Amino acid sequence: QQQVKQSPQSLIVQKGGISIINCAYENTAFDYFPWYQQFPGKGPALLIAIRPDVSEKKEGRFTISFNKSAKQFSLHIMDSQPGDSATYFCAASKGGNTGKLIFGQGTTLQVKP
Amino acid sequence: DSGVTQTPKHLITATGQRVTLRCSPRSGDLSVYWYQQSLDQGLQFLIQYYNGEERAKGNILERFSAQQFPDLHSELNLSSLELGDSALYFCASSALAGARTDTQYFGPGTRLTVL
């Protein structure tokens, strides 16, 4: 059972464009939604995270939009750059006394110069 | 550099064998997590230890076991290895036990190849 569904699987964007990656979750007990960025040969690194009590969070060119009623959240990368080319994972956690993360399947982003 | 170290970087072994993956968390972090990354399953949570005690368990096979030692480093033991165990194994650490309070920092991973 896949609790966090991510789309698209891959994405090609021109430099300067907007990259959008979507995730949907099933478990309403999730209360923490991070996005991780992974470059080839490296471990995932936290990019930005949101809690369900806010609908949007922005950090530089990266924005998370959160729709609690639809159980969906998305990552927007504005002014995409070739250096943003990486695999992006959304994740969710129930919090409490464990940090167990449930990850989406990942999106490979290629930003063309 | 996340501050989380994992050894070895690569491991090639045969079916039926047993291997041990080692993780040193960031200085001061009490939680260690193990994740498996494969092409078909993505990133899957295996197990979490907090200050030496098992805190949460995912879909970890019975052939796999882990522990966290008093110095907070952790080891993941994989036994009776099968071809399907070939994957990247990541260790992550965080300061406390819950995701809402702290960030998980991932190590560079151990690539396991079972031949």
Side-chain angles (χ1 to χ4, degrees):
Chain A
Q1 180 189 8
Q2 191 177 351
Q3 296 190 56
V4 179
K5 294 183 181 179
Q6 184 172 345
S7 63
Q9 191 173 354
S10 63
L11 184 59
I12 300 175
V13 172
Q14 292 293 327
K15 178 182 175 180
I18 302 174
S19 304
I20 301 174
I21 304 171
N22 301 300
C23 284
Y25 63 97
E26 299 166 3
N27 193 336
T28 54
F30 288 146
D31 63 358
Y32 175 71
F33 302 89
W35 284 89
Y36 278 79
Q37 180 188 54
Q38 185 179 26
F39 293 103
K42 304 288 186 183
L46 179 67
L47 189 62
I48 186 173
I50 198 168
R51 296 173 187 173
D53 49 350
V54 298
S55 60
E56 185 175 283
K57 183 173 181 181
K58 184 175 181 179
E59 288 184 2
R61 296 183 294 108
F62 301 91
T63 300
I64 300 178
S65 296
F66 188 84
N67 185 330
K68 189 173 182 177
S69 61
K71 293 188 286 185
Q72 295 175 346
F73 58 111
S74 60
L75 175 70
H76 295 236
I77 306 174
M78 311 301 286
D79 187 26
S80 298
Q81 299 296 313
D84 297 330
S85 297
T87 300
Y88 293 81
F89 293 92
C90 62
S93 173
K94 291 185 210 175
N97 63 353
T98 170
K100 168 184 175 180
L101 289 172
I102 307 297
F103 283 90
Q105 288 295 95
T107 297
T108 301
L109 170 66
Q110 182 184 357
V111 181
K112 290 194 168 182
Chain B
D1 183 3
S2 66
V4 178
T5 60
Q6 290 187 248
T7 57
K9 193 163 186 173
H10 301 279
L11 200 48
I12 302 174
T13 188
T15 55
Q17 295 298 304
R18 172 189 169 94
V19 296
T20 298
L21 282 54
R22 182 188 170 101
C23 168
S24 292
R26 294 189 323 149
S27 177
D29 282 0
L30 298 178
S31 270
V32 169
Y33 308 79
W34 286 97
Y35 292 88
Q36 179 192 57
Q37 184 175 35
S38 60
L39 282 175
D40 56 341
Q41 294 291 323
L43 265 166
Q44 299 277 317
F45 169 77
L46 295 178
I47 197 163
Q48 176 195 359
Y49 278 82
Y50 174 71
N51 204 21
E53 299 291 326
E54 182 183 304
R55 181 56 66 102
K57 216 167 184 176
N59 294 327
I60 187 168
L61 300 172
E62 283 191 13
R63 301 183 285 108
F64 296 1
S65 64
Q67 55 184 329
Q68 186 179 27
F69 294 86
D71 67 352
L72 301 177
H73 91 272
S74 177
E75 292 180 357
L76 179 66
N77 299 296
L78 314 176
S79 61
S80 302
L81 286 167
E82 302 176 359
L83 295 177
D85 297 328
S86 296
L88 265 170
Y89 291 84
F90 286 105
C91 167
S93 75
S94 68
L96 301 172
R100 289 198 64 168
T101 55
D102 53 4
T103 299
Q104 288 185 36
Y105 295 89
F106 281 73
T110 293
R111 181 173 292 281
L112 173 66
T113 302
V114 182
L115 301 175

